[in-house]
Amino acid sequence: MLLVTAVAVAFALPRLRVTTSITHLMPDGADKRAAHLAKELAEGEWSRTLVLDVSGDRPERLHETATRFAERLRAIPGARVRSGVDEGAEAELAALFARRSPTALLDAEDFGEARASERLARLRTRLASPLGVFVRRLAPRDPLGGTLDALEELGATNDGRLVSQRGILFTADEAHALLFLVTSESALDATSQRALLARVDEAFREARGSPAERLETSGVARMTVAAEAQIRGDIERIGGISTLWIVLLFAVLFGSLRMMGLAIVPLAFGSAVAILVTHVVFGEIHGITLAFGTSLLGVGIDYAEHYFTHFSLTPERGAGAVMRSVWPGLWMGALTTIVGFAGMGLTGFPAVRQIAVFSAVAIVAALFATRLLLPPWMPAGHTRPRSMAQLSLLADRVVAGVAARRWLLWAPAVLVVVMVPALARTRFVDDVSALLAIDAEAMSEDARVRERVSAGDTGRFAIVVRADEEEALAALEHTTRALEDAKRDGLLEGYVSVSTLLRSRARQEASFARAKASKDELAAVMRREGFVPEAFAPFFADLDVAAPSLLTLDDLRSSPLAGLVAPLAPRLRAGQAFVVPLRGVKDTNALARRLGEAVLVDEPALLETTYRDVRRNTIAMVLAGAALVIVTLFARYRSPRAVLAASCPALLGAAGAVAAFGAAGVPLNLLHLVALVLVLSMGVDYGIFVVEARSNDEERAMAFVSIVTATSTTLLSFGLLALSANPALRALGATITIGLTVTMLLCPLGLALLRDREKRAAS
């Protein structure tokens, strides 16, 4: 069985598709366009761009350092570097526009008498400006200034924050030189991005002109590496400590390293089978499924520990006989866990459904691995460890002591009364950033650099996507007009649209036709504004051709403007997309209604809404699962007292954890709910072990020893995560620690309750 599974896993792993799509967390039937588009952009060039800010010296020294820095960065495989536009790039742009119709960057209305007069007056002003030399080169073919307008508008997208100095972008005060590094690797791949950042630091050290110069960075990659380093550090540190203590605990309790090794078998087998089945059913596995499902396998090791405890206390019965005696409790515990997840399987969230399937399969596989694979490999001639014998005696005294004090049976009711005020204070936070704890200085640095580069709203943009490029450009023009109207009406402060440089074929052809038909009127306007029409002979000659030479998106992608255009015109799976970053949005809903078929993506709101929906759905499914578990317990035991003994410790343990956070004023997040599912799953198993041991005092003592052992290993593995600096790991660890500790302390009440019933029945 193990060999077949190992071969299947080896075959499937290279074909395994793991996804992190946010759309899996959205309910069925929801409009997923924004989530799909946000995900594709998050995987595209936008997120793979690292902003590098060099400062701390005079502008001319910064220019030298930035130039050397850019040269070294270009040596990084797969990296592209861009900054400002130098003289060579300006000449290349002028040559590009010279090969295209002079009407390509103008609208048909610009060739009317009034608009043409305004544009010629602006030409006179530009000729007298510092740009006069460049203007004189362009004016003979472009007297109305469409090219300069487009370049000026594009340069104004940063609200005048940036200026280009000989190929290097500077902030307006020239205190910061800026480079943009685009990588080929995903910004969410911590391993590759860590290596990239190391290369960047090395390149800067080699390029730095003086010790006073410093480098600051901004980008998804920086945050990815910081978060991964923190989590990895916590897991390695805490994992090392917990592994050491678990090994020592197994050695002390069971006196057998073989049992320690055998305990891993159900976990490995359960994981392998669950991955295979989930991948076959869904075609892919979500990252959340792997994280949650693997955590849930901690339930599986409880089955092995329950078996080990009974075997160690009564080795004379033999491994097979002990397994047969504990098997009813094991399969009942697995059944209630699966039933608890049945409600999650009915949810409208694809990722939650997948979690339910993965978890159910993993538990079943771990259960049967415990049943079939452990007994044949148990150590022969095993003797009862002294520590287990002493722990059994202590457990018997505890159960007897609780039973002798029948007033303790009212403790759960008292506990409920005490918890009610704290439960009423419970609140949730639906902010994904609450799961992260990135270094404050790194966050501050990222914000400073972003503020220098752009005043745009982070994560807010409009996007149009069409299968055909021409259709996409037409849709972009419609969206741009809607945004301009919205800006005039105060719904937003500004936007950045590639339509300042690129117009649709129909729009360019309409401009050409209007200009061609208005040649005489244009010549008359030129004379009136003090110009000689003959000076613009190239312009009029271009109007004599049969059809205009159109400016295309491919032209811009192969020009010096490629770095600026690429993020605004990505190619997505659905077709050609155009992204319009927004600034100063006042009313997202009202703006979305103005945009028609364009999609308004508000990433912070999207994440918050999705997170809140998942959280609410998870709460509902946890409650539904708990109800189904109680029904299953009643169907099995047909006794309210037995059902109470099996379920009450787990339910109060979960409630106790929530109440503790409420009393401490700690807001709950999604990871607290995930941990509550684990508390309920493990806690109900403990309760079932209690009920299955109701026949005699020896069985009750062994059940309690088993519960203490399982709780101890769980707290050493999961509970220590409460010491983590990462909020997500800390939420898991703290919830499991509080919940299972309360559950374990209440289990003797269940044992005493059933013992009291047995005594009454005997009398």
Side-chain angles (χ1 to χ4, degrees):
M1 185 166 63
L2 285 176
L3 180 61
V4 172
T5 304
V7 171
V9 170
F11 177 78
L13 278 180
R15 299 164 178 79
L16 190 65
R17 182 185 173 195
V18 179
T19 180
T20 56
S21 173
I22 190 176
T23 58
H24 286 62
L25 297 174
M26 299 188 73
D28 292 336
D31 182 3
K32 300 182 182 180
R33 291 183 303 162
H36 276 298
L37 295 173
K39 174 182 178 291
E40 284 203 64
L41 291 175
E43 295 172 347
E45 183 168 313
W46 206 297
S47 71
R48 291 187 282 107
T49 299
L50 191 66
V51 184
L52 306 174
D53 180 330
V54 181
S55 62
D57 213 334
R58 300 190 306 275
E60 58 272 19
R61 296 290 299 274
L62 290 180
H63 188 280
E64 294 172 1
T65 296
T67 302
R68 291 192 299 268
F69 191 19
E71 291 173 355
R72 285 163 173 77
L73 291 174
R74 291 189 178 99
I76 299 176
R80 290 185 288 111
V81 182
R82 62 180 174 87
S83 188
V85 179
D86 57 19
E87 292 182 1
E90 289 179 352
E92 187 178 340
L93 283 174
L96 167 64
F97 293 132
R99 296 191 298 270
R100 300 294 177 260
S101 172
T103 64
L105 293 171
L106 293 165
D107 293 325
E109 295 80 5
D110 291 324
F111 299 100
E113 184 175 341
R115 293 280 287 275
S117 180
E118 291 176 6
R119 286 187 165 276
L120 288 168
R122 193 182 309 163
L123 172 62
R124 190 184 306 106
T125 303
R126 283 171 169 167
L127 287 169
S129 73
L131 291 174
V133 175
F134 185 55
V135 174
R136 287 184 182 89
R137 285 208 304 264
L138 296 177
R141 288 195 73 255
D142 186 12
L144 301 191
T147 301
L148 280 172
D149 279 355
L151 293 176
E152 286 181 0
E153 285 187 42
L154 195 63
T157 59
N158 50 58
D159 289 338
R161 291 164 183 261
L162 305 181
V163 293
S164 180
Q165 301 284 1
R166 293 172 291 146
I168 299 296
L169 274 180
F170 278 82
T171 52
D173 59 5
E174 298 186 341
H176 301 266
L178 299 164
L179 302 176
F180 299 86
L181 176 65
V182 184
T183 71
S184 57
E185 301 290 341
S186 169
L188 302 179
D189 182 349
T191 302
S192 64
Q193 296 305 322
R194 190 185 312 110
L196 173 69
L197 291 176
R199 292 287 299 271
V200 169
D201 288 339
E202 180 183 0
F204 179 69
R205 285 194 298 271
E206 295 174 353
R208 186 162 55 179
S210 72
E213 293 175 351
R214 62 183 180 274
L215 173 67
E216 292 184 313
T217 61
S218 171
V220 176
R222 175 77 183 275
M223 298 299 103
T224 297
V225 171
E228 188 266 352
Q230 182 196 71
I231 294 175
R232 177 166 47 86
D234 280 349
I235 289 178
E236 289 177 354
R237 174 174 54 85
I238 296 171
I241 296 173
S242 65
T243 300
L244 175 63
W245 280 104
I246 288 174
V247 170
L248 291 175
L249 184 65
F250 262 73
V252 170
L253 291 178
F254 303 120
S256 171
L257 290 178
R258 177 182 290 193
M259 289 187 187
M260 180 69 192
L262 287 175
I264 300 174
V265 173
L267 300 184
F269 186 75
S271 295
V273 174
I275 289 173
L276 289 174
V277 172
T278 304
H279 198 268
V280 168
V281 173
F282 295 96
E284 62 184 10
I285 299 180
H286 200 280
I288 289 180
T289 301
L290 286 176
F292 183 86
T294 304
S295 298
L296 186 70
L297 281 170
V299 178
I301 200 173
D302 288 349
Y303 303 152
E305 288 179 325
H306 187 60
Y307 170 55
F308 291 164
T309 299
H310 283 71
F311 176 78
S312 295
L313 288 171
T314 57
E316 65 279 0
R317 289 194 294 167
V322 172
M323 176 56 75
R324 287 190 293 274
S325 69
V326 300
W327 178 243
L330 296 184
W331 73 256
M332 188 62 191
L335 177 62
T336 55
T337 300
I338 295 170
V339 167
F341 279 95
M344 296 179 69
L346 300 176
T347 181
F349 292 84
V352 179
R353 281 201 304 268
Q354 196 179 98
I355 287 173
V357 171
F358 184 101
S359 302
V361 173
I363 289 298
V364 171
L367 174 69
F368 280 96
T370 302
R371 176 68 177 86
L372 300 176
L373 301 178
L374 297 193
W377 294 94
M378 293 298 285
H382 186 70
T383 57
R384 178 188 297 191
R386 178 179 299 179
S387 58
M388 290 296 287
Q390 292 175 342
L391 191 57
S392 178
L393 290 174
L394 177 62
D396 188 59
R397 294 194 193 101
V398 169
V399 174
V402 172
R405 297 166 177 80
R406 298 190 64 234
W407 56 268
L408 286 175
L409 297 179
W410 290 98
V414 175
L415 186 61
V416 170
V417 173
V418 171
M419 288 191 300
V420 167
L423 290 172
R425 294 178 56 189
T426 302
R427 61 187 180 90
F428 290 89
V429 55
D430 294 318
D431 183 359
V432 179
S433 64
L435 302 180
L436 302 173
I438 299 174
D439 179 73
E441 176 53 34
M443 293 289 289
S444 177
E445 177 181 323
D446 183 82
R448 287 196 303 271
V449 175
R450 280 192 286 106
E451 176 66 20
R452 292 170 192 142
V453 172
S454 173
D457 296 351
T458 302
R460 287 193 177 94
F461 49 88
I463 181 169
V464 296
V465 185
R466 297 292 186 274
D468 178 74
E469 181 180 313
E470 175 66 13
E471 293 178 1
L473 278 169
L476 173 64
E477 290 166 358
H478 177 77
T479 299
T480 302
R481 287 193 294 272
L483 286 171
E484 189 60 33
D485 291 341
K487 178 182 175 182
R488 186 183 61 250
D489 295 340
L491 293 179
L492 77 162
E493 294 176 3
Y495 59 89
V496 181
S497 175
V498 77
S499 63
T500 58
L501 279 176
L502 184 63
R503 286 155 167 76
S504 65
R505 173 185 294 273
R507 192 174 170 191
Q508 291 187 57
E509 290 175 344
S511 295
F512 177 79
R514 176 67 182 274
K516 189 179 182 73
S518 305
K519 287 192 298 183
D520 294 340
E521 290 86 346
L522 289 172
V525 173
M526 289 175 180
R527 293 188 186 93
R528 191 166 61 244
E529 292 294 332
F531 293 99
V532 178
E534 287 73 17
F536 306 109
F539 169 71
F540 288 106
D542 282 332
L543 296 181
D544 289 333
V545 300
S549 178
L550 303 179
L551 183 65
T552 67
L553 181 56
D554 286 340
D555 290 334
L556 297 181
R557 283 174 172 157
S558 59
S559 78
L561 297 176
L564 295 174
V565 171
L568 301 177
R571 185 76 186 177
L572 306 181
R573 286 188 288 270
Q576 179 59 53
F578 288 102
V579 180
V580 185
L582 307 175
R583 184 179 74 253
V585 176
K586 308 300 182 184
D587 188 332
T588 303
N589 294 330
L591 183 59
R593 289 192 293 270
R594 293 281 191 100
L595 296 183
E597 294 186 6
V599 179
L600 177 61
V601 178
D602 185 342
E603 287 182 331
L606 177 64
L607 287 173
E608 182 177 342
T609 300
T610 301
Y611 189 101
R612 183 171 57 250
D613 289 343
V614 172
R615 187 256 299 169
R616 289 174 176 173
N617 188 270
T618 302
I619 292 175
M621 293 306 100
V622 168
L623 296 176
L628 287 173
V629 166
I630 292 175
V631 171
T632 304
L633 291 172
F634 193 82
R636 161 71 172 165
Y637 298 119
R638 304 287 181 175
S639 165
R641 186 178 291 231
V643 171
L644 189 64
S647 61
C648 186
L651 294 174
L652 289 179
V658 175
F661 292 125
V666 176
L668 303 185
N669 57 52
L670 188 60
L671 269 297
H672 288 100
L673 297 179
V674 169
L676 287 177
V677 174
L678 296 175
V679 169
L680 289 171
S681 299
M682 296 178 185
V684 171
D685 286 352
Y686 297 170
I688 289 171
F689 296 163
V690 165
V691 176
E692 292 293 332
R694 64 189 181 279
S695 58
N696 59 69
D697 289 344
E698 183 182 14
E699 289 290 330
R700 277 188 279 268
M702 284 194 289
F704 187 48
V705 172
S706 172
I707 292 166
V708 171
T709 303
T711 304
S712 300
T713 55
T714 300
L715 295 184
L716 286 173
S717 56
F718 287 107
L720 286 178
L721 293 177
L723 303 177
S724 172
N726 180 268
L729 298 179
R730 192 165 61 243
L732 274 173
T735 306
I736 290 174
T737 297
I738 299 171
L740 286 187
T741 299
V742 173
T743 300
M744 181 188 68
L745 294 176
L746 290 176
C747 279
L749 296 178
L751 290 166
L753 183 67
L754 295 173
R755 186 172 188 260
D756 182 67
R757 182 190 180 189
E758 295 295 328
K759 285 188 174 182
R760 290 183 176 220
S763 62

